[in-house]
């Protein structure tokens, strides 16, 4: 998208991702009959959640509906804003990492605690959620991945640089000459 345009359009980005990932759930989750299943494949078979594949196939709805609005609400991105963004994502994401490690009840409890910590944000509420995760030996890895995607899209859309004015690539042709 960046190579073909002078700007970044999030709707075009989502459309491209959807095109690239079309059918990935069926190809990789529904038709896989390997004896050794990945954690994501196990969660899909047990709970029906598509995880990262489903998010990508749908154009990252959690990123655009929950992550980015929090990032866009602030003038600067700092630790507090990133924590709030993670909480907004985690409160709505069916995180397959949590499902795999703790089951449906752990996911439900985690999402509830994340929602409370987001709605009543304070270091204490955030720390309570972290303590609960440690106690139950779970990690919201899928939500963290969606946080990274949110940061990426935010940084591209809010970037101060003009893509058309990026410096030209360095001519590395000398590096590829034969040493004979």
């Amino acid at each position: 998208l960046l190579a073909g345009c002078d700007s970044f359009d999030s709707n075009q980005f989502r459309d491209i991702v959807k095109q690239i990932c079309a059918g990935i759930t069926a190809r990789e989750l529904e038709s896989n009959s390997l004896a050794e299943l990945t954690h994501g494949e196990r969660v899909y078979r047990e709970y029906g959640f598509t995880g990262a594949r489903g998010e990508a196939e749908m154009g990252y709805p959690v990123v655009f509906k929950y992550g980015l609005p929090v990032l866009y609400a602030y003038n600067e991105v700092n630790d507090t804003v990133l924590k709030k963004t993670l909480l907004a994502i985690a409160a709505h994401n069916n995180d397959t990492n949590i499902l795999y490690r703790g089951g449906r009840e752990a996911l439900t409890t985690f999402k509830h605690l994340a929602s409370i910590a987001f709605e009543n944000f304070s270091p204490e509420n955030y720390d309570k959620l972290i303590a609960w995760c440690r106690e139950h030996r779970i990690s919201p890895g899928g939500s963290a991945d969606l946080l990274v995607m949110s940061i990426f899209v935010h940084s591209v859309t809010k970037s101060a640089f003009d893509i058309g004015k990026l410096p030209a690539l360095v001519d590395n042709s000398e590096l590829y000459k034969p040493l004979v």
Side-chain angles (χ1 to χ4, degrees), residues 121-142:
F121 186 80
S122 69
E124 296 78 23
N125 285 341
Y126 184 79
D127 290 344
K128 284 179 189 176
L129 177 63
I130 299 303
W132 185 88
C133 288
R134 285 186 180 136
E135 178 185 337
H136 292 86
R137 301 181 54 86
I138 62 167
S139 172

Side-chain angles (χ1 to χ4, degrees), residues 62-110:
V62 171
V63 167
F64 286 87
K65 188 170 183 179
Y66 301 106
L68 286 171
V70 176
L71 288 173
Y72 289 144
Y74 295 91
N75 290 329
E76 77 175 87
V77 176
N78 56 38
D79 286 346
T80 300
V81 172
L82 293 175
K83 287 176 182 177
K84 288 180 179 181
T85 305
L86 176 62
L87 291 170
I89 291 167
H92 297 92
N93 181 34
N94 290 320
D95 196 307
T96 57
N97 194 32
I98 294 174
L99 272 169
Y100 179 77
R101 296 191 182 278
R104 192 180 295 271
E105 185 177 329
L107 178 63
T108 300
T109 301
F110 174 80

Side-chain angles (χ1 to χ4, degrees), residues 25 29 39-54 93-96 99 104 107 111:
T25 300
L29 295 178
H39 294 171
E41 291 164 342
R42 288 177 193 263
V43 166
Y44 178 75
R45 294 214 174 150
E46 186 170 344
Y47 301 103
F49 292 115
T50 58
R53 291 169 181 92
N93 181 34
N94 290 320
D95 196 307
T96 57
L99 272 169
R104 192 180 295 271
L107 178 63
K111 287 171 70 173

